[in-house]
Amino acid sequence: MSDRSGTPEPGRLARWAAADVVDCDVQITVPSVEHLAPYLDQRWRDYMSESGVRSIDPAQYPKGSPLSARPGAVPEQGPPGSNLDLIRAQVLDHWQLKYAVVNCGFEISAIHNDDWALAMASAVNDWQAAQWLDPEPRLRASIVVPAQNPDYAAKEIDRIGDHPGFVQVLLPVRAEAPLGKRRYWPIYAAAERHGLAVGIYAGGVSGNPVTPVGWPSYYLEDYVGLTQAFQAQVVSLVSEGVFAKFPGLRVVLIEGGFTWLPALMWRFDKNWKGLRREVPWVSREPSSVIRDHIRLTTQPLDEPAEPRQLVETIEQLGCDDMLLFATDYPHWQFDDDEGVLPSGLSPELERAILATNAIATYRF
Amino acid sequence: MSDRSGTPEPGRLARWAAADVVDCDVQITVPSVEHLAPYLDQRWRDYMSESGVRSIDPAQYPKGSPLSARPGAVPEQGPPGSNLDLIRAQVLDHWQLKYAVVNCGFEISAIHNDDWALAMASAVNDWQAAQWLDPEPRLRASIVVPAQNPDYAAKEIDRIGDHPGFVQVLLPVRAEAPLGKRRYWPIYAAAERHGLAVGIYAGGVSGNPVTPVGWPSYYLEDYVGLTQAFQAQVVSLVSEGVFAKFPGLRVVLIEGGFTWLPALMWRFDKNWKGLRREVPWVSREPSSVIRDHIRLTTQPLDEPAEPRQLVETIEQLGCDDMLLFATDYPHWQFDDDEGVLPSGLSPELERAILATNAIATYRF
């Protein structure tokens, strides 16, 4: 551990320069809906101005919380994660990255008009291409889609999916339905067609109660409960046979942690043995399907007080291929640069997490 | 491990005789609604016969599945778990038990008429007292309540809560709302008044989608997802301040596993640090509140292939007081008698799980 108040000590960070590190989750933000105007038809510009749409921000993690943005991450103009120069300095240069995958959590899922949702998703993607990918070759981006209408989502993936800067299709974990359901398969077919991964991120406003037992009272419950939504999506994707149908598909769970996964795999394997006749396309242990197809970003990290227990939990994943390095910038969930990765990992595993797992997952 | 086909080898089981073992989850079943008739007013007997009510069984775990009942657990008449003599032979005598806590998962939560729900809950409780507690002094039971109407639930607890055979109030994990919510507090006040624990069991039919992302397709998803419901209930109970208001309350999670708890505690502690101003009554780390107030039964056990990892996970609970021995009879989730408990535990922890934790939790 480095001195928390000062510069990181040499050590792991110094070794990273040679490792072609990939940051698999940098969160970028559309500064305001006006910034999308150049990428929208006149119809939708008129619609938004006549309707007085100023934002579709669902106001998730309290903006005043220290975890929302690390010190210094707020640009002079606009919200954190909206300024390319700052991201160059604080992410790409600071971590000496080969690539960073940017994810724009624009809440298309909050728009109930399918045509408008598609127009806004396309605008966000064109904005990402023009404002981020074109000027900065170290960046890669995720395609935002109207997941509520999978045919429209597939249309948007077909429209922009061959742009070399896009490496992933982004779906919200709080979707309208479990993401394995057949209605979503056109999205996976389109992702496979264009060699894209599918990223599931910690967002979405579906209307479903955010816990499996109804609406809770506090944002704390919503936020802690995000991992329950990720668990449900993993179980759905495997149970529905998505990976049997799309054997090349890689799904990345973004900003959802990973320490919950070993216990889920144990339970899922056991119950599959008792109930597998219900899902005949799941022809091997669910944990084995998960290890082949599911990847998880490392931050935010739900860390135990005892670092040894985190290493145990990572070993319980049963495979070195699953974790992808991520800073979760501009969120601030670790104390210092060294804290971005668990300590006590073998150099081989560290290198897999920092670079090779991402290279196997994304098309760079 | 014993030979799976034969009698358990001497060893742990032989040592248990001196340990005053308590089985904290034996599941009993009302053979049919007709058996409740003697405990119902004429009004409700007429109502049920006029309406042609034959069962309110929600048909959960497929009855034909080998996990639903171990071989030999089906009585000559009636469903598994409905015959006292068989439970004497296969549970009380077989495991040389000091006590067994029986839980009757009668789905009161499926009844939408509050008055009828209360009448049925009272009938089930009177049936438990007459048919199980009175003839067998080694049994203790759980009070069934209409959780959908907490005032009625409290009334029923006050009616029967001082019967020395009842040690617990039973609530379904799939409740209508997160169980920490203030509307449920009359139930906790009543439990505290009568010195009863509150047990949350793997059941309930609330109408909420059974995952936090909507209705899944398969029972496999529902069943694997039960632990997500337990997670949400733990987060709710702590976040709402139930244990600050009722400092003597013990909550037992029944048939929900426990391997998911360490990761949840890590996440909950971390997020509480960022969001604690929302829940000022949670004045210490959630994990510390959980360790003081939450207990979990040991079967069914979501076991890893590698026994060492289970021991690691139990250590990650951070306290020896939390696990309560349970056979989950008549369900059948372990291969042989030795398999009912994890191997590799210290003798002290084994004794705590088998006996002393239950004695500290329940009023015997």
Side-chain angles (χ1 to χ4, degrees), chain B residues 108-177:
Chain B
I108 299 293
S109 65
I111 302 177
H112 293 281
N113 170 331
D114 283 9
D115 292 343
W116 184 31
L118 176 58
M120 292 292 271
S122 298
V124 171
N125 293 328
D126 288 340
W127 171 83
Q128 292 191 92
Q131 302 294 321
W132 298 85
L133 297 176
D134 291 352
E136 178 47 68
R138 288 171 293 179
L139 292 184
R140 296 295 181 273
S142 302
I143 300 174
V144 167
V145 295
Q148 55 271 56
N149 182 325
D151 289 333
Y152 276 19
K155 197 168 150 182
E156 175 62 9
I157 296 166
D158 283 335
R159 186 184 73 85
I160 203 155
D162 288 335
H163 184 301
F166 287 105
V167 296
Q168 179 167 259
V169 174
L170 208 55
L171 301 176
V173 71
R174 294 207 186 281
E176 281 183 9

Side-chain angles (χ1 to χ4, degrees), chain B residues 16-37:
Chain B
W16 289 5
D20 292 346
V21 175
V22 181
D23 183 342
C24 293
D25 183 30
V26 173
Q27 310 220 345
I28 61 170
T29 302
V30 180
S32 71
V33 288
E34 288 76 26
H35 284 74
L36 297 180

Side-chain angles (χ1 to χ4, degrees), chain A residues 61-62 65-67 173-178 181-182 208-221 223-229 231-233 235-236 239-240 255-257 259-260 263-264 266-268 270-272 274-275 278-279 281 299-305 308-310 312-313 315-316 333, chain B residues 61-62 65-67 173-178 181-182 208-221 223-229 231-233 235-236 239-240 255-257 259-260 263-264 266-268 270-272 274-275 278-279 281 299-305 308-310 312-313 315-316 333:
Chain A
Y61 209 98
S65 160
L67 299 182
V173 71
R174 294 207 186 280
E176 282 182 7
K181 282 192 167 269
R182 280 147 181 67
N208 287 316
V210 298
T211 89
V213 296
W215 287 101
S217 305
Y218 308 109
Y219 183 71
L220 172 62
E221 296 172 85
Y223 192 82
V224 172
L226 274 168
T227 53
Q228 296 152 29
Q231 290 167 47
Q233 297 297 15
V235 172
S236 172
S239 297
E240 297 273 2
E255 214 190 346
T259 53
W260 46 268
L264 181 74
W266 302 339
R267 181 171 180 87
F268 199 3
K270 177 176 175 177
N271 297 145
W272 167 80
L275 294 163
E278 215 188 0
V279 290
W281 38 82
Q299 283 289 344
L301 181 54
D302 299 325
E303 222 160 347
R308 178 181 49 79
Q309 297 182 337
L310 186 61
E312 286 168 5
T313 303
E315 285 169 3
Q316 290 173 0
Q333 304 259 6
Chain B
Y61 209 97
S65 161
L67 300 182
V173 71
R174 294 207 186 281
E176 281 183 9
K181 282 192 168 268
R182 279 147 181 68
N208 287 315
V210 298
T211 89
V213 297
W215 287 100
S217 304
Y218 309 109
Y219 183 72
L220 172 61
E221 297 172 85
Y223 192 82
V224 172
L226 274 168
T227 54
Q228 296 152 28
Q231 291 168 46
Q233 297 297 15
V235 172
S236 173
S239 297
E240 298 273 1
E255 214 190 347
T259 53
W260 47 267
L264 182 74
W266 302 340
R267 181 172 179 86
F268 199 3
K270 177 176 175 177
N271 298 145
W272 168 79
L275 294 163
E278 215 188 0
V279 290
W281 38 83
Q299 282 289 345
L301 181 54
D302 300 326
E303 223 160 346
R308 178 182 49 80
Q309 297 182 337
L310 185 61
E312 286 169 6
T313 303
E315 285 169 3
Q316 291 172 1
Q333 304 259 6

Side-chain angles (χ1 to χ4, degrees), chain A residues 68-109:
Chain A
S68 290
R70 67 190 68 185
V74 185
E76 287 183 22
Q77 287 199 314
S82 67
N83 183 294
L84 175 56
D85 285 336
L86 214 49
I87 284 182
R88 281 189 175 120
Q90 296 192 329
V91 185
L92 294 166
D93 297 342
H94 179 83
W95 298 100
Q96 306 174 62
L97 300 177
K98 178 93 167 171
Y99 300 110
V101 179
V102 296
N103 294 312
C104 182
F106 195 83
E107 287 297 3
I108 299 294
S109 65

Side-chain angles (χ1 to χ4, degrees), chain A residues 266-302:
Chain A
W266 302 339
R267 181 171 180 87
F268 199 3
D269 280 357
K270 177 176 175 177
N271 297 145
W272 167 80
K273 281 174 195 146
L275 294 163
R276 56 184 290 190
R277 291 167 64 89
E278 215 188 0
V279 290
W281 38 82
V282 186
S283 57
R284 54 189 172 127
E285 288 193 325
S287 62
S288 150
V289 179
I290 290 169
R291 287 190 191 99
D292 283 355
H293 293 278
I294 306 262
R295 302 292 175 258
L296 309 96
T297 64
T298 52
Q299 283 289 344
L301 181 54
D302 299 325

Side-chain angles (χ1 to χ4, degrees), chain A residues 113-124:
Chain A
N113 170 331
D114 283 9
D115 292 343
W116 184 31
L118 176 59
M120 293 291 271
S122 298
V124 172

